[in-house]
Amino acid sequence: MSDDLATFRVISEILGPAGVTPGDVVRWHRMPNVQSSFRSLKFQGTRYYSRDSVLELTFISAFAKVGIRPGIGILHAHDHMELSNLPRLPEWTMFRTGFRNTLIYADDLNSKAVTEFLTANPGAAVIIAFRSIVQRIDKLFSNELTDPVEIVIP
C-alpha cells in the first residue's frame, strides 16, 4: 500500500465511528454542497477517506439524527469543520435550528454564555458533544492502517 494511503481509511473502518451507513456515504457523496467532496483517494478500485472527510460525514450524520436534512446538515457541518482544528476543542457546540449564524461553543452547559444564548434564541436548539466527536475520529486516524475489509463504492 502506498505511503500516501496511511492517513486515509476505507469505508468499512469509518462506518461505526462516523455513525453512517454505506447508503449515507453514497447519497451524501453526490450532494453538491459537500465541502470536502469527501476528499477521497481511489487506489485499486477502493475509495479511501481523509480525517476531514470522515469528520464531515460524522457531523452530517449527527445533524440528520436530530431531524436536520442532510442538505442543511452539510452547511452546519462546514461551520463545525472550522472549529475542528482549534488548539483546544470546545466540549459543546450549539446553534438554533435553522439559523447558521447562531453557532456558539462552550465547555460548560451551565455557563453564562449558554444561558444568554438560550435566552436570546428561543425555540429549538441543537447541542452537539463536539469534543467527543472530534476525539473519536482523531482516534480512528491515530492508529496505523491494518488490513481493512474493503467495500468498493462506485
Side-chain angles (χ1 to χ4, degrees):
M1 178 172 292
S2 165
D3 289 338
D4 295 342
L5 296 179
T7 59
F8 287 75
R9 297 293 180 259
V10 294
I11 191 170
S12 61
E13 294 178 294
I14 69 170
L15 295 176
V20 296
T21 67
D24 293 334
V25 175
V26 170
R27 227 177 0 270
W28 299 338
H29 193 296
R30 294 180 180 147
M31 296 184 84
N33 293 335
V34 176
Q35 180 174 318
S36 71
S37 299
F38 304 124
R39 286 197 184 107
S40 57
L41 175 66
K42 266 195 161 178
F43 180 75
Q44 296 181 348
T46 300
R47 191 179 303 274
Y48 292 84
Y49 295 87
S50 70
R51 174 218 184 242
D52 285 349
S53 296
V54 175
L55 200 51
E56 185 175 28
L57 282 168
T58 304
F59 286 127
I60 295 167
S61 175
F63 301 139
K65 287 175 182 167
V66 296
I68 297 173
R69 291 178 322 202
I72 301 298
I74 287 169
L75 301 175
H76 287 294
H78 294 177
D79 296 336
H80 283 74
M81 293 297 294
E82 291 178 17
L83 300 176
S84 70
N85 293 310
L86 290 174
R88 184 176 173 346
L89 297 173
E91 188 71 38
W92 305 96
T93 59
M94 63 192 68
F95 58 91
R96 184 171 166 214
T97 307
F99 297 90
R100 282 184 67 201
N101 61 347
T102 61
L103 177 67
I104 68 162
Y105 49 93
D107 287 329
D108 179 3
L109 290 178
N110 294 314
S111 71
K112 182 179 177 183
V114 171
T115 302
E116 289 173 355
F117 169 80
L118 294 173
T119 302
N121 294 286
V126 176
I127 300 174
I128 300 292
F130 181 78
R131 185 182 301 159
S132 68
I133 288 173
V134 175
Q135 288 174 337
R136 184 174 68 231
I137 300 307
D138 284 347
K139 182 178 178 184
L140 173 68
F141 281 85
S142 68
N143 302 321
E144 280 191 26
L145 189 61
T146 57
D147 301 327
V149 176
E150 297 179 355
I151 298 175
V152 178
I153 295 198

